[in-house]
Amino acid sequence: LSSSPCPAPCPGAPSSSTGPRGAGGSGTGMAEEKKLKLSHTLLPAESMKVMAEAMGIAQVPEETSQLLADEVSYRIKEIAQDALKFMHMGKRRKLTTGDVDYALKLKNVEPLYGFHAQEFIPFRYASGGGRELYFYEEKEVDLSDIINTPLPRVPLDVCLKAHWLSIEGTQPAIPENPPPAPKEQQKAEATEPLKSTKPGQEENGPLKGQGQSAAAPDGKGKEKKAPVLEGAPLKLKPRSIHELSVEQQLYYKEITEACVGSCEAKRAEALQSIATDPGLYQMLPRFSTFISEGVRVNVVQNNLALLIYLMRMVKALMDNPTLYLEKYLHELIPAVMTCIVSRQLCLRPDVDNHWALRDFAARLIAQICKNFSTTTNNIQSRITKTFTKSWVDEKTPWTTRYGSIAGLAELGHDVIKTLILPRLQVEGERVRGIVEGPVVSNIDKIGADHVQSLLLKHCAPVLAKIRPPPDNQDSYKADYGSLGSLLCTHVVKARAQAAMQAQQVNRTTLTITQPRPTLTLSQAPQGPPRAPSIIKVPSSITLPVQTLVSGRPSTPTQPSPPPTKYIVMSSASGSSASQQVGGGRDGTFSLQRSGQPRPCATPASISPLRSPALTPPGAGMLLPLAGALGSPLPSLHCPSAPTSSPPDPPLGAVWGPAYQAQLPWEGPGGLPHTALGGRLA
Amino acid sequence: MGIQYLHNPFHSVLSMCITITRQTLAIIYLQALSFIYTDVIPLVYLDTFAVGGGVPVEDQPDVSAVLSAYKQQGDPALYEEYYSGLKHFIECALDCHRAELSQLFYPLFVHMYLELVYNQHENEAKSFFEKFHGDQECYYQDDLRVLSSLTKKEHMKGNETMLDFRTSKFVLRISRDSYQLLKRHLQEKQNNQIWNIVQEHLYIDIFDGMPRSKQQIDAMVGSLAGEAKREANKAKVFFGLLKEPEIEVPLDDEDEEGENEEGKPKKKKPKRESMGSKSKKQDPNAPPQTRIPLPELKDSDKLDKIMNMKEATKRVRLGPECLPSICFYTFLNAYQGLTAVDVTDDSSMIVGGFADSTVRVWSVTPKKLRSVKSAADLSLIDKESDDVLERIMDEKTASELKILYGHSGPVYGTSFSPDRNYLLSCSEDGTVRLWSLQTFTCLVGYKGHNYPVWDTQFSPYGYYFVSGGHDRVARLWATDHYQPLRIFAGHLADVTCTRFHPNSNYIATGSADRTVRLWDVLNGNCVRIFTGHKGPIHSLAFSPNGRFLATGATDGRVLLWDIGHGLMVGELKGHTDTVYALRFSRDGEILASGSMDNTVRLWDAVKVFEDLETDDFTTATGHINLPENSQDLLLGTYMTKSTPVIHLHFTRRNLLLASGAYSPQ
């Protein structure tokens, strides 16, 4: 058998890569392959010639190479079939090069040494001169390099770990077991409500004492029914009951308290738990109501910190790979939208950085659209419409305007191109009116500033892509009005940046190149003046904060600062110390208030919770949105600002250290998995 | 010989440069011959040809006759016509006969194709295959794939699948009526081509009575060589259990106290006694006690039996209302390398066989694994002391894990001896190794299989063990003989798994030829052939009472067999991938199956077996009607996160232990 040592022109390579080199193919493809038509795939005679040439035999006659090709094809198939046998006996789904070696050994053929199974064998394609080539790039390796590189870490040794897969017929919800309701099932339930013919059983089946076989009908009935129900008329399924075990109630209480509590470390842990733990499915309706109610209450209170906490919860829920949120979007979308476009989100709009929250929430909405928008529910187009409507409106305040633009901009290049760019001129005029015109109010001015930088930030990369290179100030002015010249410089910068990044990994999201407004800057208006152009985010944000704090002379009355960053940061906001402490207290007070309307989560109540019991005292205020599918998009809550309220807790504490160190939407990656859920559940 | 001389060069010329004139000449010549020899020669040719698949034809006597006879049928253009003629006939036959006659399609297709290939009508063979392979039942796809790659006469040498078709007759069961119909049709049409194949390559097992339905046929077909002949399953099988040796149980008091605390001693005790009395009575279906010589019980064995009985009293009675708890042992960081697992009967040790040739033994109890001291140290021990067994152990070697090195290829099977003193492992390197669990060293390497050994298992009474491998035979060994005591030959493809019957008188083997065979240890005969699986068998389990056998295969189905009657009695559908593990609970109420699809499933074994139709008719004809009740029998499905289940074990108290290696996606 020829060991095919060289690039071989085989047009059939992807389908017939059964040769020793293509052995990385997985065995799972077998099932589909069975349905395919069997065909006489043969290596082309060309390949034989090329191989012969590579081995120094020129001028192989046509006939010979044809015979060779037939023979080699047959032998390769034979060996592949034997190799499959080894895969099956090795109880694997993946064929390895080892299997091929053993198959060769069976045939008394010397195995091919030096090939080891890689996860992925990159076949490269090349064509030219009418020939198509699939080849595996082998780099020349310098031996001294290998010798000098430090040894790779020794792989971990095999070990045994025991866990309960089932206890008397019930599968315990522990991290070692798969989540009780896999995402596919949740999705199927959400999109095909008719399927759940047995209400209740599906949800609470695997959970509590529902008899040993409850888990079984769940899984097995699914696939069978699926095809029948395709295209069936939509019927609302009967209200399902989510019962929580005592442990789950405790867990829910702990988590929600930690999420809105004052301890950042605890919050990080709780969010991590929400984002990773399997088996939160049961609690999803409660989390969803908690968030939507929390947003409603706190938007009225202008409690920025709380709103940020709640948005971080939404983010964590979205990040959990085992949850499918579609069923709860009717609560989550209004809440998130509120945080984007609400007229006022904080008590002192001139000082507090509610802009970051709007950006963060806008990003969330974009993610929701990306994940859940379908042609049936039209989430994206409805959201887009809402944003556009409020933006176009002349009377919209600058805050809402900012939110709408941010929301639209996060939806991607296409939306920017079609919806934002055409309005640049109008918007530029409006901004100019505020910035250059008579001073109306400081708040408006800040708002206009932010809108301008937002527009520049989002439009520049898009323009850099769609406009041909010569960036002319005048033409920009002609096209985009007063923002033209600034845009022009930004586009130039964007182009430079894009060129720089061309070598790096090409990220598809446009958000990645955007610097965020830094917390330090927005926190202290007395700090360095906010530049209208792009500001590079310092690699470590906490550092300037500290210098800022130490440089503040206005903290003499401050007792030795408590270890929490919370107080330290608030001193930076430049008000008197007593006020800050009060503000801090008030912040925690309102936290508790928002926590209080969840009395159902008391650990004492042993009886299983029912969904209605969760409705807080202010149930009458429930958003008028019954179902995500049937109802129009949320009317937004933009309550007018109360004139006097205690100040917000400072944002450093709100976003949490993980968010300070990195961009807020990236979340705290790489934290060790908290077993909080596992411990409690 | 003269003709042979003439023919061979002629052949090679044909193969090298196909000149139209010569070929047509040849065909004309041979067709002329055919008019003379049609009715006489085929038999001779076909018999020889049957062997010719694997052996160079030139070595056979009468090759010339064979070839000429072969050629007389060789108008390749007509093959498609013949086949489609038959197809048309079968499709137009009465409904009741159609299903039965449809069984002919596959073997005829294969043999016609092979004949075309053999005669080097490459293009005709290709077009024949293209045209008709889609008609074949889906469970033959694997074989069809092998056939599709086989396009030249040269390929036929040494192709194992080919060899199987040539050396063994494909068995079909057809009712007399259907057979007459077929015969009449073929004679009317003068379709000698097909008739010859039917005569020579097929074994038609004709029975009187109603033709079988499609379902009945589908349940039984699928193996490489068709169904089992009815006679093959007629031999008497002693499936009963051997009488348990009587052992004094002096520990009742202790037990009693424990029970009294729980407040229900009355209930348990009578049951124990009944169990005891049952074992004293000779099972009418059991083999004579000394049919197979079994090793004497040692004192330690007796102790273990007593322990076993004590545990048995605490056993959970399982049933649909009381499912076993499942403890899952996950092998972490195995990097796809775990190939075999076994657990000792008392569930104190787990062994894993790995692709890196190692065998690793873990202790899963707090008691660590210790080896015996060296000879020098042993001589210092006071042999009269009471705790001499404790003293000989070397405390310094205590560890939870012992790694056994010795194999030079992936370890595909492992098995503990019932007394936990030995361990067997078999490997790709063709050897079975016996390891001592006292010293954790290799004692013997049994060489006999020259090819990979896929599975091995100790007899439930120790001493004997069985191994099966790529060489298509299973071998029975005794630990103190370096050569096998029996060789069980008959499978048409690799023997993939082997299991001892609980009474140690029989061995079941599963094979890649999609059949399960039961062999008599005493005389080496094959006493049962079970067909019905549509993929290679990968797991076997005897019910604790020895009456039933469960088998799992790559097709994801579990089939249940009544050994005494030689009948399929159940089909459990649910798994979506290879079933690698099967185990009955200690009392046989629950069957657990573990699969590559990352699930453990529990089945109601009582219900499957309670309403067996084992009336005389069924037994006589082997016609079975399987109810479609898999869903009712399924008691539970338990997903693992991403761990294929490759071993299952019920502890003596009926806790289910499952194991597999975590394989992240």
Side-chain angles (χ1 to χ4, degrees):
Chain A
L1 176 87
S2 161
S3 59
S4 62
C6 66
C10 26
S15 59
S16 69
S17 64
T18 42
R21 309 294 291 278
S26 79
T28 44
M30 288 285 291
E32 292 104 82
E33 204 179 304
K34 272 181 195 166
K35 282 169 211 147
L36 294 178
K37 225 170 131 248
L38 294 169
S39 59
H40 299 272
T41 313
L42 291 177
L43 293 173
E46 274 294 282
S47 300
M48 300 304 126
K49 279 189 182 167
V50 173
M51 283 179 217
E53 277 168 27
M55 297 176 79
I57 307 167
Q59 304 293 323
V60 180
E62 187 65 41
E63 211 172 314
T64 314
S65 58
Q66 186 54 49
L67 279 173
L68 261 177
D70 286 354
E71 180 67 13
V72 169
S73 305
Y74 171 71
R75 295 299 166 198
I76 286 180
K77 283 179 191 177
E78 207 179 16
I79 284 161
Q81 273 152 1
D82 276 343
L84 268 184
K85 192 182 280 176
F86 280 92
M87 181 193 80
H88 281 300
M89 295 312 298
K91 302 180 171 92
R92 272 177 283 115
R93 283 202 191 88
K94 192 179 278 179
L95 194 69
T96 65
T97 45
D99 293 332
V100 178
D101 286 346
Y102 294 126
L104 288 170
K105 214 172 137 190
L106 272 192
K107 300 265 172 228
N108 248 337
V109 180
E110 185 92 356
L112 300 167
Y113 297 107
F115 297 105
H116 52 91
Q118 279 176 325
E119 279 303 300
F120 171 66
I121 298 179
F123 276 98
R124 286 189 53 185
Y125 170 79
S127 67
R131 296 214 303 187
E132 291 175 322
L133 227 70
Y134 287 91
F135 63 96
Y136 172 44
E137 199 173 29
E138 278 177 309
K139 295 198 181 88
E140 272 185 28
V141 186
D142 193 348
L143 262 184
S144 61
D145 280 356
I146 294 183
I147 294 165
N148 292 331
T149 45
L151 288 172
R153 278 200 303 163
V154 178
L156 292 170
D157 202 9
V158 186
C159 62
L160 257 189
K161 186 178 187 304
H163 75 271
W164 289 108
L165 184 68
S166 149
I167 297 173
E168 295 183 350
T170 315
Q171 190 159 30
I174 48 174
E176 286 87 352
N177 285 329
K183 198 167 181 177
E184 293 73 38
Q185 188 193 329
Q186 294 176 36
K187 186 170 182 178
E189 260 173 47
T191 48
E192 290 171 69
L194 244 190
K195 263 195 205 168
S196 45
T197 43
K198 291 167 282 181
Q201 197 188 7
E202 231 153 359
E203 266 83 18
N204 55 27
L207 251 188
K208 254 195 77 181
Q210 280 291 314
Q212 56 292 336
S213 58
D218 255 342
K220 70 188 179 199
K222 278 292 158 211
E223 298 82 3
K224 278 186 119 178
K225 281 188 233 160
V228 186
L229 288 157
E230 289 290 338
L234 264 170
K235 262 190 221 165
L236 283 181
K237 67 168 193 161
R239 192 192 184 97
S240 55
I241 302 152
H242 288 249
E243 283 183 16
L244 294 192
S245 64
V246 180
E247 291 87 350
Q248 282 174 316
Q249 292 174 35
L250 277 170
Y251 171 78
Y252 175 78
K253 182 172 172 282
E254 288 272 324
I255 288 286
T256 46
E257 278 177 2
C259 278
V260 296
S262 54
C263 175
E264 181 54 38
K266 254 185 152 179
R267 176 165 27 255
E269 208 176 331
L271 289 174
Q272 176 77 9
S273 168
I274 293 180
T276 52
D277 270 340
L280 294 185
Y281 171 61
Q282 289 296 311
M283 278 170 268
L284 210 44
R286 287 170 174 81
F287 278 128
S288 157
T289 315
F290 177 83
I291 290 165
S292 103
E293 284 304 304
V295 166
R296 179 212 312 290
V297 171
N298 287 294
V299 119
V300 179
Q301 302 281 339
N302 283 321
N303 194 333
L304 183 59
L306 252 281
L307 290 173
I308 292 175
Y309 296 153
L310 291 169
M311 285 305 108
R312 285 172 67 188
M313 270 181 88
V314 177
K315 167 78 181 153
L317 284 174
M318 301 262 302
D319 286 347
N320 192 320
T322 66
L323 295 178
Y324 189 72
L325 297 180
E326 224 250 12
K327 271 205 274 187
Y328 307 97
L329 289 183
H330 67 283
E331 286 188 315
L332 295 179
I333 289 182
V336 178
M337 290 288 272
T338 306
C339 290
I340 302 174
V341 295
S342 175
R343 181 184 300 170
Q344 189 165 3
L345 289 169
C346 53
L347 292 170
R348 293 166 308 153
D350 51 337
V351 180
D352 292 329
N353 186 9
H354 56 97
W355 313 105
L357 172 62
R358 291 177 200 273
D359 287 338
F360 184 68
R363 215 158 268 124
L364 277 179
I365 275 288
Q367 202 185 336
I368 288 175
C369 284
K370 204 173 129 221
N371 291 355
F372 302 107
S373 189
T374 63
T375 45
T376 344
N377 60 18
N378 270 330
I379 290 178
Q380 171 147 359
S381 70
R382 286 155 72 190
I383 285 173
T384 316
K385 246 182 242 165
T386 317
F387 282 138
T388 328
K389 222 175 115 194
S390 59
W391 183 23
V392 171
D393 191 354
E394 279 298 318
K395 282 170 247 157
T396 312
W398 282 105
T399 46
T400 308
R401 196 171 290 276
Y402 177 91
S404 309
I405 299 170
L408 284 174
E410 293 295 348
L411 290 175
H413 279 195
D414 283 343
V415 178
I416 294 178
K417 208 165 88 183
T418 52
L419 289 174
I420 299 185
L421 291 188
R423 280 189 58 84
L424 271 181
Q425 209 153 1
V426 184
E427 205 57 34
E429 280 312 307
R430 191 177 287 143
V431 171
R432 201 162 61 105
I434 297 291
V435 177
E436 293 177 6
V439 176
V440 194
S441 82
N442 194 26
I443 293 178
D444 274 358
K445 195 165 172 343
I446 293 173
D449 261 358
H450 273 94
V451 167
Q452 180 178 334
S453 56
L454 179 78
L455 283 173
L456 292 175
K457 183 180 78 183
H458 283 300
C459 294
V462 180
L463 283 175
K465 267 193 189 154
I466 60 171
R467 267 183 91 98
D471 293 314
N472 189 337
Q473 291 273 359
D474 295 333
S475 73
Y476 269 84
K477 255 184 197 152
D479 288 348
Y480 306 110
S482 56
L483 283 175
S485 58
L486 276 173
L487 259 181
C488 185
T489 50
H490 273 80
V491 170
V492 170
K493 270 187 201 166
R495 280 196 214 283
Q497 219 166 14
M500 237 171 62
Q501 288 191 339
Q503 290 102 336
Q504 295 167 8
V505 190
N506 202 4
R507 301 283 283 266
T508 47
T509 50
L510 93 154
T511 53
I512 206 68
T513 56
Q514 310 304 319
R516 295 278 100 196
T518 67
L519 294 169
T520 7
L521 292 175
S522 48
Q523 278 239 298
Q526 310 95 315
R530 182 189 177 77
S533 59
I534 294 175
I535 299 160
K536 275 275 169 210
V537 183
S539 58
S540 158
I541 291 196
T542 43
L543 204 64
V545 174
Q546 277 157 6
T547 48
L548 205 74
V549 169
S550 57
R552 276 286 114 218
S554 65
T555 48
T557 51
Q558 180 87 19
S560 64
T564 53
K565 209 165 252 153
Y566 170 69
I567 300 291
V568 177
M569 298 289 294
S570 58
S571 72
S573 69
S575 335
S576 84
S578 62
Q579 245 185 349
Q580 285 148 23
V581 174
R585 267 199 214 116
D586 204 90
T588 44
F589 167 67
S590 76
L591 299 191
Q592 278 159 3
R593 260 182 20 138
S594 75
Q596 262 170 357
R598 336 250 141 250
C600 45
T602 48
S605 69
I606 308 251
S607 63
L609 273 176
R610 313 224 152 215
S611 227
L614 251 184
T615 319
M621 283 164 50
L622 263 176
L623 298 181
L625 299 154
L629 297 178
S631 69
L633 260 187
S635 58
L636 301 167
H637 302 265
C638 309
S640 57
T643 43
S644 72
S645 294
D648 288 332
L651 287 173
V654 174
W655 285 115
Y659 290 88
Q660 288 175 28
Q662 42 184 281
L663 301 180
W665 61 93
E666 281 180 349
L671 285 184
H673 175 260
T674 60
L676 194 53
R679 262 191 323 216
L680 290 168
Chain B
M1 282 311 276
I3 305 177
Q4 181 193 359
Y5 178 72
L6 278 175
H7 267 278
N8 285 330
F10 178 56
H11 243 275
S12 54
V13 169
L14 257 185
S15 71
M16 287 308 284
C17 50
I18 302 168
T19 51
I20 299 167
T21 43
R22 281 193 187 184
Q23 201 178 25
T24 20
L25 270 176
I27 291 168
I28 294 166
Y29 165 65
L30 292 164
Q31 272 174 341
L33 268 181
S34 76
F35 285 108
I36 313 165
Y37 288 118
T38 303
D39 299 324
V40 191
I41 298 175
L43 205 142
V44 183
Y45 135 66
L46 286 163
D47 268 357
T48 323
F49 186 54
V51 191
V55 190
V57 179
E58 285 77 10
D59 299 345
Q60 299 297 317
D62 295 312
V63 170
S64 54
V66 166
L67 281 176
S68 56
Y70 195 41
K71 282 295 180 186
Q72 55 87 19
Q73 301 171 340
D75 187 356
L78 289 179
Y79 272 64
E80 291 188 11
E81 205 175 292
Y82 288 146
Y83 188 84
S84 42
L86 184 78
K87 194 175 152 189
H88 179 74
F89 158 69
I90 291 176
E91 276 165 1
C92 294
L94 284 175
D95 277 356
C96 59
H97 300 298
R98 195 188 304 147
E100 286 204 321
L101 293 177
S102 301
Q103 297 178 77
L104 280 166
F105 281 142
Y106 176 65
L108 284 178
F109 170 78
V110 170
H111 284 291
M112 290 172 88
Y113 176 74
L114 289 179
E115 277 185 10
L116 284 173
V117 172
Y118 186 84
N119 286 318
Q120 300 179 325
H121 303 301
E122 203 176 315
N123 293 328
E124 284 84 356
K126 219 175 250 183
S127 93
F128 181 78
F129 190 91
E130 286 301 319
K131 201 163 173 191
F132 298 115
H133 84 263
D135 300 346
Q136 311 307 326
E137 299 284 355
C138 54
Y139 35 80
Y140 293 121
Q141 289 290 314
D142 282 342
D143 290 341
L144 288 178
R145 194 175 296 120
V146 174
L147 279 182
S148 77
S149 63
L150 198 128
T151 52
K152 287 203 188 316
K153 187 183 173 186
E154 292 78 33
H155 296 160
M156 292 170 94
K157 289 176 194 169
N159 186 298
E160 290 155 8
T161 316
M162 248 301 303
L163 206 65
D164 292 333
F165 278 111
R166 284 309 178 199
T167 52
S168 61
K169 288 186 172 185
F170 198 93
V171 182
L172 302 161
R173 275 191 216 172
I174 288 183
S175 69
R176 191 169 295 284
D177 291 351
S178 305
Y179 181 69
Q180 297 293 354
L181 202 67
L182 174 77
K183 202 169 160 188
R184 214 176 309 130
H185 166 77
L186 291 178
Q187 279 168 353
E188 265 171 30
K189 293 271 170 185
Q190 299 274 307
N191 202 337
N192 290 317
Q193 183 72 41
I194 288 180
W195 185 241
N196 284 328
I197 292 179
V198 170
Q199 289 285 296
E200 302 307 327
H201 292 292
L202 310 188
Y203 179 94
I204 297 190
D205 197 358
I206 302 162
F207 60 84
D208 295 304
M210 287 281 292
R212 293 187 296 169
S213 70
K214 177 95 175 113
Q215 284 85 351
Q216 281 176 321
I217 294 169
D218 275 348
M220 299 295 290
V221 296
S223 96
L224 196 58
E227 292 182 56
K229 297 172 195 170
R230 269 173 303 156
E231 304 94 90
N233 288 337
K234 288 290 179 232
K236 177 158 174 57
V237 174
F238 302 102
F239 56 80
L241 300 186
L242 292 179
K243 202 169 70 173
E244 287 291 316
E246 286 172 39
I247 302 168
E248 296 292 317
V249 186
L251 304 116
D252 263 330
D253 309 334
E254 209 182 301
D255 241 11
E256 211 81 326
E257 278 165 32
E259 297 299 329
N260 271 329
E261 279 163 29
E262 284 168 38
K264 40 180 179 180
K266 292 281 178 320
K267 236 182 178 175
K268 298 256 173 166
K269 201 156 179 230
K271 202 177 77 204
R272 249 264 310 289
E273 274 173 359
S274 73
M275 277 166 61
S277 64
K278 197 170 78 185
S279 67
K280 272 171 207 143
K281 231 188 295 165
Q282 177 73 29
D283 187 333
N285 292 313
Q289 200 72 11
T290 53
R291 192 165 179 264
I292 302 289
L294 293 173
E296 295 262 316
L297 277 186
K298 290 179 298 217
D299 285 350
S300 57
D301 296 332
K302 285 179 181 160
L303 272 174
D304 195 54
K305 284 233 181 292
I306 290 166
M307 275 302 290
N308 193 355
M309 284 165 79
K310 271 174 72 185
E311 292 274 303
T313 60
K314 295 176 184 164
R315 188 178 293 164
V316 184
R317 275 198 79 77
L318 299 177
E321 299 308 315
C322 180
L323 291 183
S325 299
I326 308 172
C327 178
F328 204 102
Y329 284 99
T330 312
F331 288 78
L332 299 171
N333 312 317
Y335 308 106
Q336 305 248 347
L338 182 71
T339 43
V341 176
D342 195 34
V343 182
T344 55
D345 188 66
D346 68 347
S347 316
S348 61
M349 283 185 276
I350 286 188
V351 62
F354 289 84
D356 63 0
S357 316
T358 59
V359 177
R360 290 161 195 253
V361 187
W362 279 268
S363 166
V364 290
T365 57
K367 202 175 137 196
K368 295 200 167 165
L369 302 173
R370 294 172 301 177
S371 38
V372 173
K373 286 177 185 167
S374 67
D377 292 336
L378 280 176
S379 62
L380 303 175
I381 290 172
D382 174 14
K383 290 169 191 69
E384 301 305 314
S385 71
D386 289 340
D387 59 345
V388 67
L389 285 178
E390 190 60 30
R391 287 193 186 194
I392 58 169
M393 306 311 284
D394 188 355
E395 211 48 55
K396 281 187 297 245
T397 60
S399 70
E400 277 180 7
L401 164 67
K402 294 275 183 193
I403 307 178
L404 308 175
Y405 298 101
H407 281 296
S408 59
V411 179
Y412 289 114
T414 50
S415 175
F416 281 109
S417 72
D419 60 4
R420 295 186 298 287
N421 282 326
Y422 304 103
L423 172 70
L424 281 172
S425 63
C426 64
S427 157
E428 185 272 340
D429 63 13
T431 61
V432 179
R433 279 176 187 268
L434 182 75
W435 309 83
S436 163
L437 295 179
Q438 301 293 337
T439 58
F440 293 97
T441 52
C442 184
L443 302 177
V444 196
Y446 300 94
K447 292 173 188 168
H449 297 276
N450 284 321
Y451 289 103
V453 189
W454 298 130
D455 198 10
T456 185
Q457 200 214 3
F458 254 115
S459 147
Y461 293 89
Y463 185 62
Y464 300 110
F465 67 91
V466 61
S467 65
H470 175 74
D471 56 3
R472 303 169 175 211
V473 296
R475 284 162 206 248
L476 178 83
W477 310 75
T479 47
D480 56 359
H481 287 65
Y482 66 90
Q483 281 182 325
L485 306 179
R486 299 280 182 276
I487 293 181
F488 305 113
H491 277 299
L492 298 174
D494 303 34
V495 176
T496 49
C497 50
T498 54
R499 277 292 166 275
F500 261 97
H501 189 276
N503 68 19
S504 200
N505 279 256
Y506 297 93
I507 285 167
T509 55
S511 162
D513 67 8
R514 307 189 285 273
T515 63
V516 177
R517 283 171 188 250
L518 194 71
W519 309 87
D520 192 335
V521 168
L522 184 68
N523 49 28
N525 289 338
C526 176
V527 289
R528 290 287 179 271
I529 303 176
F530 297 131
T531 61
H533 270 299
K534 319 287 188 239
I537 320 289
H538 276 282
S539 51
L540 299 167
F542 281 98
S543 70
N545 62 11
R547 276 190 67 190
F548 303 105
L549 176 67
T551 57
T554 52
D555 56 10
R557 300 181 315 152
V558 175
L559 297 182
L560 301 163
W561 311 89
D562 182 324
I563 295 168
H565 297 101
L567 288 176
M568 187 194 294
V569 291
E571 178 185 13
L572 306 174
K573 286 188 213 166
H575 282 295
T576 55
D577 209 331
T578 311
V579 179
Y580 276 118
L582 277 173
R583 194 58 78 98
F584 281 93
S585 68
R586 291 280 170 152
D587 295 325
E589 308 99 331
I590 299 273
L591 173 64
S593 60
S595 156
M596 199 69 184
D597 64 9
N598 302 346
T599 58
V600 174
R601 285 170 202 255
L602 301 178
W603 311 86
D604 190 341
V606 177
K607 203 165 153 191
V608 188
F609 298 132
E610 73 185 358
D611 37 37
L612 283 185
E613 49 166 320
T614 44
D615 51 73
D616 291 342
F617 174 74
T618 322
T619 323
T621 57
H623 298 177
I624 39 130
N625 276 309
L626 290 180
E628 271 286 332
N629 58 351
S630 295
Q631 296 308 316
D632 306 333
L633 298 171
L634 181 63
L635 299 176
T637 305
Y638 306 98
M639 276 294 271
T640 65
K641 233 174 184 173
S642 185
T643 311
V645 185
I646 65 165
H647 189 77
L648 292 168
H649 174 82
F650 274 96
T651 68
R652 289 169 175 176
R653 297 189 188 186
N654 266 342
L655 171 73
L656 179 56
L657 306 182
S659 54
Y662 179 68
S663 54
Q665 296 300 307

